[in-house]
């Protein structure tokens, strides 16, 4: 059946379908990360840089199709093809409203899920692990009298023991992946949903210090690694630039 219009009976099914699509994107991305990690381990790369490049290329190729194909289909193909002989065209050929709704719901659900997994869940896990009161934070001096030497050493020992049990920081690759795909929504579909630019700016401003605070308090101190540039991500950024031009042209021609 056709994608119906924007009556009272049409909004809820569209919203539910967009939420389901956004949820399937997140689930498939999680499953793909597990599969790609196993594949890269089996490929037995000689250098860490080669391993990371292979992992990034797999995540990008799958993530591009997984994240953006539903929007491409609704915006550019729904009115022009009949998959399996079924008419999936938009009501009166206007797909812009449905495309805008899909972009907004997918982007917002991605951001909220990321905030929960990176900021909320580690805090809940840390609280649960230390619910018996064993969590010790550095004691702030409430007066001018210095702490006794024995108390100071005992406090530092408890803090070190607590930090020893914190999770390892897995690196910035996952952060790069999320940021680039969020950037992709703006570059590829910003013309269809201009408010997305403001939402992306707001997300980045909130993320600026939140991630730093999380890394400092909920993970072990990361090991320093030197890199001359962002590596394969620069090539991916060039691909996004080219695809954004193609997408904007398709948006003007077919939507």
């Amino acid at each position: 059946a056709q994608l119906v219009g924007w009556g009272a009976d049409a909004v809820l099914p569209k919203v539910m379908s967009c939420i389901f699509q956004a949820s399937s994107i997140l689930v498939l991305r999680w499953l793909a990360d597990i599969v790609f990690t196993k594949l890269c381990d089996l490929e037995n790369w000689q250098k860490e840089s080669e391993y990371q490049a292979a992992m990034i290329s797999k995540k990008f190729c799958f993530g591009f199709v997984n994240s953006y194909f539903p929007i491409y289909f609704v915006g550019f193909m729904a009115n022009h093809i009949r998959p399996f002989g079924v008419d999936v065209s938009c009501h009166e050929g206007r797909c812009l409203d449905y495309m805008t709704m899909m972009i907004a719901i997918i982007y917002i659900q991605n951001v909220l899920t990321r905030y929960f997994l990176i900021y909320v869940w580690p805090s809940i896990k840390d609280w649960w692990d230390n619910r018996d009161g064993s969590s010790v934070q550095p004691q702030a001096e409430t007066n001018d009298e210095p702490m006794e030497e024995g108390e100071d050493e005992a406090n530092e020992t408890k803090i070190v023991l607590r930090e020893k049990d914190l999770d390892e920081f897995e690196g910035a690759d996952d952060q790069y992946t999320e940021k680039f795909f969020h950037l992709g929504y703006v570059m590829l579909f910003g013309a269809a949903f201009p408010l997305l630019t403001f939402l992306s700016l707001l997300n980045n401003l909130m993320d600026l210090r939140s991630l730093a605070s999380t890394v400092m308090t909920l993970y072990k101190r990361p090991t320093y690694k030197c890199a001359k540039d962002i590596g394969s991500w620069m090539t991916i950024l060039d691909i996004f630039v080219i695809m954004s031009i193609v997408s904007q042209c398709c948006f003007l021609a077919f939507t």
Side-chain angles (χ1 to χ4, degrees):
Q2 287 187 335
L3 297 176
V4 296
W6 281 91
D9 297 333
V11 175
L12 183 59
K14 286 187 175 183
V15 172
M16 295 303 297
S17 66
C18 291
I19 293 176
F20 176 79
Q21 185 64 60
S23 302
S24 65
I25 289 174
L26 295 174
V27 172
L28 289 175
R29 185 183 301 172
W30 173 71
L31 293 175
D33 288 345
I34 297 176
V35 173
F36 294 154
T37 300
K38 297 293 184 181
L39 288 177
C40 288
D41 292 340
L42 292 174
E43 289 168 352
N44 194 25
W45 296 100
Q46 295 182 353
K47 299 180 180 178
E48 179 67 19
S49 59
E50 295 176 345
Y51 178 92
Q52 294 297 334
M55 178 69 73
I56 291 171
S57 62
K58 290 181 176 64
K59 286 186 176 182
F60 171 71
C61 292
F62 176 82
F64 191 95
V65 177
N66 182 48
S67 300
Y68 305 136
F69 177 77
I71 304 175
Y72 275 117
F73 181 84
V74 171
F76 308 141
M77 294 181 283
N79 289 332
H80 306 281
I81 64 174
R82 297 170 61 93
F84 306 105
V86 180
D87 182 13
V88 294
S89 61
C90 300
H91 180 67
E92 297 181 355
R94 296 195 299 265
C95 293
L96 180 58
D97 292 337
Y98 188 34
M99 180 181 179
T100 301
M101 174 186 284
M102 180 174 288
I103 295 171
I105 292 178
I106 290 177
Y107 181 83
I108 293 174
Q109 186 166 336
N110 269 267
V111 170
L112 293 179
T113 303
R114 178 177 180 271
Y115 269 88
F116 177 80
L117 294 177
I118 294 181
Y119 306 128
V120 179
W121 176 248
S123 299
I124 295 175
K125 184 175 180 294
D126 182 66
W127 170 82
W128 179 261
D129 292 339
N130 300 282
R131 64 190 183 280
D132 57 352
S134 60
S135 177
V136 178
Q137 300 293 341
Q139 298 180 0
E141 295 185 8
T142 57
N143 51 46
D144 296 334
E145 297 181 1
M147 296 177 60
E148 296 183 4
E149 182 176 355
E151 294 180 357
D152 191 15
E153 293 180 356
N155 186 40
E156 290 182 358
T157 300
K158 291 180 180 179
I159 294 173
V160 171
L161 291 176
R162 175 185 179 276
E163 293 178 349
K164 178 181 69 68
D165 296 329
L166 296 178
D167 294 332
E168 295 282 352
F169 183 67
E170 298 179 355
D173 288 333
D174 290 338
Q175 311 301 327
Y176 268 105
T177 303
E178 293 292 337
K179 288 297 184 183
F180 268 80
F181 281 120
H182 289 172
L183 176 64
Y185 285 109
V186 178
M187 296 178 65
L188 299 174
F189 311 112
F193 184 39
L195 185 61
L196 188 63
T197 304
F198 173 75
L199 294 178
S200 178
L201 175 62
L202 183 63
N203 173 48
N204 288 329
L205 291 176
M206 294 174 60
D207 202 36
L208 185 62
R209 301 309 305 172
S210 299
L211 181 59
S213 176
T214 300
V215 172
M216 292 291 293
T217 58
L218 299 178
Y219 293 95
K220 294 181 180 178
R221 180 178 300 178
T223 304
Y224 171 77
K225 293 183 179 180
C226 182
K228 63 179 180 179
D229 52 33
I230 62 175
S232 301
W233 292 111
M234 181 57 68
T235 303
I236 293 176
L237 184 60
D238 293 336
I239 295 174
F240 269 123
V241 171
I242 297 173
M243 290 302 299
S244 66
I245 298 174
V246 176
S247 296
Q248 303 299 341
C249 294
C250 292
F251 172 75
L252 296 175
F254 302 113
T255 304

